[in-house]
Amino acid sequence: MSVPPSASSAPSVPENSLPPNADYRQLDREKLSEMMHRYIEVKEQYPHALLLFRVGDFFECFFQDAITIAQELELVQTAKHAGKEIGRVPMTGVPHHAVERYATMLLEKGYAVAICDQVEDAEIAAREKRQVRREITRILTPGTLTDDGMLKGRKNNYLAAVVIAGDHWGLAYSDISTGEFLTTQSQNLEQLTQELMRLQPSEVLFPINAPDLGKMLRPGEKSSQLPDCLPNCFCYSLRSQFPFSLTEARNQILEQFQLRSLEGLGCDHLPLGVRAAGGLLDYLEDTQRNNQVPLQRLRTYTITDYLILDYQSRRNLEITQTVRDGTLHGSLLWALDKTSTAMGGRALRRWLLQPLLDLRGIRARHDTIQELVENHELRFQLQQLLRQIYDLERLTGRAGNGTANARDLVALADSLAKLPELSVLVSQGHSPYLKSLQTVPPILEELAHKIQSYLVDSPPQHLKEGGIIRSGMDEQLDSLRVLAEADQQWLANLEVQERERTGISTLKVGFNKAFGYYISITRSKLDQAPNDYIRKQTLTNEERFITPELKEREARILTAKDDLNQLEYEIFLRLRLEVGEHSELIRDVSRAVAAIDVLSGLADIAVYQGYCRPEMVNSREVKIIEGRHPVVEKSLPPGFFVPNTAQLGSQEEGSETPGVKPYSHPDLIILTGPNASGKSCYLRQIGLIQLLAQVGSFVPAKSAKLGICDRIFTRVGAVDDLATGQSTFMVEMNETANILNHATPKSLVLLDEIGRGTATFDGLSIAWSVAEYLATEIRSRTIFATHYHELNELASIIPNVANYQVTVKELPDKIIFLHQVQPGGADKSYGIEAGRLAGLPDVVIQRAKQVMRQIEKHSKIAMGLRKGIKKQDKKDDSVEQLDIFED
């Protein structure tokens, strides 16, 4: 018996709370019914999976699995007789036609599901008076799904594998529905954490030793064998160490891709990456044992080849989901996704999460968008054509692993047939991405024609029902159809002929699954039955007969139908296999189609939202004229968003431009202004504009000149991390420490409200020190939004620091937010006014104003700042440590 694949374990339930007979291990097997005996036999092969067992029109599960599924899916738990001496055992069932929906719900909760289906006709087993044969047909785990109904069309479903050796780690990941397969290796376990958070895999494989081997830890579950660097928000399958050994992993990869060396894959020097990739392939071999998985050739990548966004920055910038409720609506992806295909939607998500560092690659995308912006007709026709192309990546994946039905192949063929038209359309283009589709492999056009020639336009969903293959495509099939049609025609004429021959006007010809074809005569007409009629069945009001010729025809008709369906199925399988042989070529084309789809959608955004092409330069400059927040702008009525300008990034030392001061633009901006005035929005829009530029998109601004950024850090807002016992202030300090320990002069740092979670003096001191360190030691391009307007003093002592404020208009009884960022520092925070706008009672507002006047009158902070700050010596470029609170 083969080693069972890693799968999900049921949630722990106290043994004393289980109903009777819930644990099959405590029952006498000899006393179980034959069907229940078979259930346990299959269950023991997959002990960590939830087993769904086909019984008639339902998939049923028993014992502990029944309890688990009833609890998780909120279904009614019943019971079923399991043998005379055993009695009833827990049971839960779901309709067979809805099994995918229920299985998907279980997978989303972190379970694996084994589907044990009937693999023969139940009527045959009934006639032979035995149990219908059942076998495992599918093993579903969160990371190994390929069915459309279980996947999100515009999001990849990644399976990842991790190997850790000290501070070094290897990571491999794949989406088996699209064939993507990549690996990387690096050091620093924090980078591994961040890469997993970027990928958001549905399942992570990790090699361990016994005793937890084979289990699947659902999100939030702990294991002492999992290192702390692996986030517990993922589902982990705990695997044997053996397939993750270097020798076994190398052999697995070489066998998968029919190679003699790993050098051609570029991973020969990445032993940990190779081990992770080999372990992943071994898992697929276990779980997909009935289907071949057509993965693309393994590719390697390096994390430092892309702009790095840690999880906090991605969260704060709301790239793929909002901070408030985790939904797509209101995110950057929501605002930008104008793609026409699911492939394009997935590609856009990947691009946003992995912006480029390579100027050449960025400019290639900008060039394509520029061309599509200028050529309206080309862009419109492209989008019209793309809407007619189905998900080539996943259709090819299902064809390659043997799960595609006839409708899938028809959709694939229809899509491939559009490629020549697409090729002609983009032939007028000059940018790299348009050129990539100007030559479509002729073999794909031929494949599309062949599929369309063989398959009917609207085939049935089930492959063994017949009616799939067109006439004229196979001689044997056509011959069988001629014979079958002749017999069917004879059968259709039989009733009329027999009525004429016997003179019985009520005579009927019918069919019954149990007894076959028959001639029915009512009892009142029995005396008119011919002598050659053979009695077959007696009913209350009629007699049923057959004739020798009817019996002969019946055998031929029923056999012909089965033979026809089987032959059509075999022809289809050959066709599907041929598609699978071209899967790599189809996926190469589909990636090019997806890229064109993304870029045409971004061009549409650029035209209708007024985005500009950013000028990308080899410097530290960030110059954004009248920039806008892409999501907030889309959420407001046209013309309501107030644009703002930002200029950051002083000259590099030794590269001063003649006539330009070294600090013509500050490295650090102290941004002050009242609550709700737009400081956080301003910070985020600068980060998003930089990100979009390096994704290769146009940006929401009048103009932009941007240097390449290696990392974007954002620290916006404050939350508790109660699960780990960290307060708001500790979360804030952890995020700030991460920034100070990893930022470089090429980084963009966006800070909002440092030091607000502690005492005023402590908070102000920390904020001052952090800002000073960023400006003088790291010299990253930084915007520091704060209510500590005392920090404005930094601009007077550090030359690469400048003050900006979000302006307001003060009226006698209220303030009006202008949402405009201008040079200069605010000397008020207007917090009390913000409280009034939020609805605090008037008595509270008035008392707050009284307290504020007393604090301002007696506070020594301002006096300490004026007295204690030591001005920088203009002749000395260094900055002294400042004692701002001396006695």
Side-chain angles (χ1 to χ4, degrees):
M1 186 178 293
S2 60
V3 178
S6 164
S8 172
S9 58
S12 59
V13 178
E15 290 190 7
N16 57 6
S17 67
L18 293 175
N21 295 336
D23 189 349
Y24 63 83
R25 294 169 298 182
Q26 299 177 359
L27 302 180
D28 186 345
R29 303 283 182 89
E30 300 302 320
K31 296 178 181 179
L32 286 168
S33 65
E34 185 180 352
M35 187 192 78
M36 208 62 68
H37 196 280
R38 175 58 179 160
Y39 180 89
I40 294 175
E41 189 175 71
V42 176
K43 176 65 181 176
E44 287 183 332
Q45 297 178 47
Y46 305 92
H48 303 297
L50 296 174
L51 178 61
L52 294 176
F53 196 78
R54 179 72 178 267
V55 182
D57 290 334
F58 286 83
F59 276 95
E60 297 177 351
C61 53
F62 307 99
F63 308 108
Q64 175 65 69
D65 282 5
I67 299 170
T68 300
I69 291 178
Q71 290 175 346
E72 293 290 359
L73 302 185
E74 298 181 359
L75 299 176
V76 176
Q77 178 192 318
T78 59
K80 188 160 190 167
H81 191 74
K84 290 183 179 179
E85 298 183 50
I86 298 294
R88 299 168 73 81
V89 300
M91 183 197 82
T92 304
V94 299
H96 76 93
H97 58 79
V99 67
E100 286 192 359
R101 177 163 61 89
Y102 288 106
T104 301
M105 294 165 66
L106 291 169
L107 291 165
E108 288 174 349
K109 292 175 178 289
Y111 290 98
V113 178
I115 305 290
C116 188
D117 209 343
Q118 297 174 175
V119 293
E120 67 174 346
D121 192 335
E123 292 180 6
I124 296 176
R127 284 199 293 267
E128 297 178 4
K129 297 182 179 180
R130 59 176 174 81
Q131 284 287 320
V132 63
R133 190 158 57 90
R134 298 178 177 90
E135 301 288 347
I136 291 291
T137 56
R138 287 185 293 172
I139 302 170
L140 305 175
T141 72
T144 59
L145 301 179
T146 57
D147 292 349
D148 252 3
M150 297 183 172
L151 294 169
K152 295 180 180 178
R154 293 179 172 268
K155 185 178 181 181
N156 283 102
N157 188 65
Y158 287 128
L159 169 69
V162 172
V163 173
I164 297 175
D167 289 335
H168 291 73
W169 54 270
L171 169 70
Y173 68 90
S174 175
D175 181 343
I176 70 170
S177 70
T178 65
E180 297 168 55
F181 189 23
L182 296 96
T183 189
T184 189
Q185 178 176 314
S186 187
Q187 55 185 359
N188 187 338
L189 296 179
E190 174 63 23
Q191 287 186 343
L192 172 60
T193 303
Q194 295 299 342
E195 189 65 358
L196 287 173
M197 295 302 291
R198 176 184 73 86
L199 293 170
Q200 292 291 304
S202 298
E203 184 178 356
V204 182
L205 312 177
F206 188 73
I208 63 161
N209 296 315
D212 289 338
L213 188 63
K215 286 187 178 180
M216 179 181 285
L217 301 177
R218 296 186 296 132
E221 290 185 309
K222 301 277 188 179
S223 170
S224 59
Q225 300 200 57
L226 282 183
D228 292 337
C229 63
L230 297 181
N232 67 357
C233 57
F234 300 128
C235 178
Y236 290 93
S237 290
L238 306 181
R239 300 287 289 168
S240 165
Q241 296 270 8
F242 181 69
F244 286 84
S245 66
L246 184 58
T247 301
E248 287 300 315
R250 286 176 63 91
N251 291 338
Q252 189 83 42
I253 296 171
L254 294 175
E255 182 180 350
Q256 172 76 22
F257 299 108
Q258 299 296 299
L259 301 172
R260 292 187 176 182
S261 169
L262 296 180
E263 291 183 7
L265 298 178
C267 60
D268 199 37
H269 63 294
L270 304 174
L272 297 181
V274 167
R275 288 173 59 188
L280 188 149
L281 289 175
D282 176 78
Y283 185 69
L284 292 181
E285 192 174 275
D286 271 353
T287 57
Q288 311 295 306
R289 58 187 59 190
N290 297 324
N291 302 314
Q292 181 181 357
V293 180
L295 296 179
Q296 300 171 18
R297 282 203 173 191
L298 181 63
R299 292 186 291 129
T300 62
Y301 71 102
T302 304
I303 291 176
T304 53
D305 288 343
Y306 301 93
L307 185 151
I308 297 175
L309 286 163
D310 59 30
Y311 170 71
Q312 290 78 16
S313 297
R314 284 194 300 274
R315 176 182 178 275
N316 290 331
L317 291 176
E318 300 183 305
I319 295 175
T320 59
Q321 62 183 35
T322 59
V323 172
R324 179 181 293 273
D325 51 15
T327 60
L328 173 67
H329 186 89
S331 67
L332 179 64
L333 179 59
W334 165 78
L336 294 181
D337 193 355
K338 297 296 182 183
T339 54
S340 301
T341 68
M343 299 178 292
R346 293 193 297 271
L348 176 60
R349 178 185 288 267
R350 291 194 300 270
W351 287 16
L352 291 176
L353 293 174
Q354 208 170 33
L356 304 177
L357 294 180
D358 176 45
L359 266 175
R360 184 178 177 183
I362 294 170
R363 286 169 178 163
R365 292 178 181 178
H366 286 161
D367 289 342
T368 306
I369 293 176
Q370 181 76 40
E371 193 165 345
L372 293 173
V373 165
E374 294 172 353
N375 192 333
H376 296 271
E377 186 62 25
L378 173 60
R379 188 179 74 253
F380 176 76
Q381 291 179 356
L382 260 179
Q383 291 172 330
Q384 290 290 102
L385 190 55
L386 287 169
R387 292 189 186 102
Q388 301 173 50
I389 295 178
Y390 294 93
D391 194 339
L392 284 171
E393 286 181 324
R394 286 184 169 165
L395 288 171
T396 304
R398 291 202 292 279
N401 67 19
T403 59
N405 58 32
R407 294 179 183 179
D408 290 333
L409 289 201
V410 168
L412 179 71
D414 291 345
S415 300
L416 293 177
K418 298 294 180 183
L419 295 181
E421 188 178 345
L422 186 61
S423 176
V424 171
L425 186 59
V426 299
S427 62
Q428 56 186 295
H430 304 289
S431 61
Y433 284 90
L434 293 175
K435 287 182 178 179
S436 67
L437 273 174
Q438 289 177 5
T439 303
V440 175
I443 194 169
L444 296 185
E445 187 177 356
E446 295 168 8
L447 180 63
H449 177 70
K450 184 173 184 178
I451 295 172
Q452 290 174 330
S453 299
Y454 269 83
L455 300 183
V456 298
D457 292 333
S458 300
Q461 185 172 0
H462 300 289
L463 294 175
K464 296 185 178 181
E465 292 180 351
I468 294 175
I469 308 299
R470 296 180 189 272
S471 297
M473 303 311 301
D474 185 272
E475 290 185 8
Q476 184 183 0
L477 182 64
D478 290 344
S479 299
L480 285 175
R481 280 177 172 168
V482 168
L483 293 175
E485 287 172 5
D487 285 333
Q488 288 289 349
Q489 187 60 48
W490 178 87
L491 194 62
N493 296 333
L494 178 62
E495 187 173 292
V496 174
Q497 292 173 355
E498 289 303 303
R499 283 182 177 182
E500 291 178 354
R501 182 165 78 96
T502 61
I504 303 174
S505 60
T506 56
L507 180 147
K508 294 180 181 179
V509 174
F511 176 79
N512 179 284
K513 284 187 176 182
F515 295 97
Y517 289 99
Y518 58 85
I519 298 171
S520 171
I521 299 178
T522 60
R523 285 192 170 277
S524 61
K525 302 289 185 178
L526 280 180
D527 58 338
Q528 295 179 249
N531 293 331
D532 59 343
Y533 276 23
I534 303 170
R535 194 181 305 274
K536 188 171 187 178
Q537 186 182 15
T538 299
L539 300 179
T540 304
N541 297 319
E542 65 178 278
E543 291 282 343
R544 292 178 176 177
F545 301 88
I546 58 170
T547 66
E549 187 176 12
L550 177 59
K551 188 175 181 63
E552 179 185 345
R553 295 273 186 171
E554 177 187 70
R556 276 176 25 197
I557 289 170
L558 295 178
T559 302
K561 183 178 181 181
D562 291 340
D563 291 346
L564 274 171
N565 292 349
Q566 182 61 29
L567 183 54
E568 284 198 57
Y569 181 61
E570 291 171 0
I571 293 171
F572 173 81
L573 291 184
R574 292 198 295 270
L575 199 60
R576 188 170 68 185
L577 183 63
E578 187 175 348
V579 173
E581 291 170 352
H582 294 92
S583 60
E584 189 168 350
L585 189 57
I586 297 173
R587 280 170 166 165
D588 287 342
V589 173
S590 67
R591 283 198 300 272
V593 172
I596 287 291
D597 190 13
V598 173
L599 293 168
S600 63
L602 292 176
D604 231 31
I605 291 283
V607 170
Y608 293 107
Q609 296 293 327
Y611 286 16
C612 73
R613 175 173 181 164
E615 179 187 354
M616 305 304 295
V617 294
N618 275 312
S619 72
R620 301 174 63 251
E621 186 171 9
V622 173
K623 185 177 181 181
I624 301 169
I625 307 301
E626 296 186 13
R628 312 183 304 276
H629 192 296
V631 181
V632 177
E633 179 186 39
K634 183 177 179 179
S635 304
L636 294 174
F640 270 63
F641 190 89
V642 178
N644 279 297
T645 293
Q647 297 188 63
L648 281 169
S650 58
Q651 298 288 317
E652 296 277 9
E653 286 189 19
S655 62
E656 287 86 353
T657 304
V660 178
K661 295 179 181 180
Y663 301 122
S664 55
H665 300 325
D667 286 328
L668 185 144
I669 288 176
I670 300 295
L671 180 65
T672 51
N675 286 303
S677 61
K679 296 193 301 298
S680 296
C681 178
Y682 181 73
L683 261 65
R684 285 190 175 101
Q685 81 183 37
I686 303 304
L688 291 177
I689 287 172
Q690 180 73 46
L691 181 145
L692 285 176
Q694 291 187 226
V695 163
S697 171
F698 282 20
V699 299
K702 185 177 181 180
S703 67
K705 184 177 182 181
L706 303 168
I708 293 295
C709 183
D710 63 352
R711 298 187 67 150
I712 298 177
F713 294 96
T714 63
R715 214 227 67 74
V716 179
V719 293
D720 290 317
D721 189 353
L722 299 178
T724 59
Q726 295 189 87
S727 67
T728 299
F729 182 66
M730 281 306 299
V731 172
E732 177 185 305
M733 289 298 99
N734 286 335
E735 293 181 5
T736 304
N738 176 60
I739 294 171
L740 298 184
N741 289 325
H742 294 97
T744 73
K746 291 187 176 180
S747 301
L748 177 63
V749 178
L750 307 169
L751 295 175
D752 190 10
E753 302 300 352
I754 295 296
R756 298 288 288 182
T758 185
T760 303
F761 279 17
D762 285 351
L764 176 55
S765 302
I766 291 172
W768 182 288
S769 182
V770 168
E772 185 179 81
Y773 188 80
L774 286 165
T776 61
E777 298 296 328
I778 299 176
R779 287 194 59 201
S780 56
R781 293 161 288 181
T782 304
I783 302 180
F784 195 123
T786 181
H787 284 288
Y788 293 130
H789 46 264
E790 292 86 357
L791 293 186
N792 288 326
E793 294 293 336
L794 276 169
S796 66
I797 59 173
I798 303 178
N800 62 335
V801 176
N803 293 329
Y804 279 76
Q805 62 177 316
V806 185
T807 57
V808 299
K809 184 176 182 180
E810 290 191 68
L811 298 176
D813 58 343
K814 64 178 180 178
I815 60 172
I816 298 175
F817 298 125
L818 301 179
H819 303 294
Q820 292 179 340
V821 177
Q822 295 181 354
D827 58 359
K828 295 181 181 179
S829 291
Y830 299 97
I832 295 176
E833 182 60 28
R836 187 189 67 79
L837 292 175
L840 291 181
D842 287 341
V843 64
V844 173
I845 296 298
Q846 295 306 318
R847 179 56 180 158
K849 288 180 178 179
Q850 293 175 1
V851 173
M852 175 61 74
R853 284 193 292 269
Q854 292 299 313
I855 291 174
E856 289 176 342
K857 182 177 179 180
H858 298 288
S859 174
K860 296 181 181 180
I861 294 179
M863 181 176 64
L865 282 169
R866 288 192 295 270
K867 178 180 177 182
I869 293 175
K870 298 176 180 179
K871 299 267 181 152
Q872 177 186 7
D873 186 349
K874 295 181 179 178
K875 296 180 181 180
D876 185 358
D877 288 336
S878 65
V879 178
E880 299 177 19
Q881 294 298 314
L882 304 175
D883 181 8
I884 65 171
F885 296 123
E886 65 178 18
D887 293 332

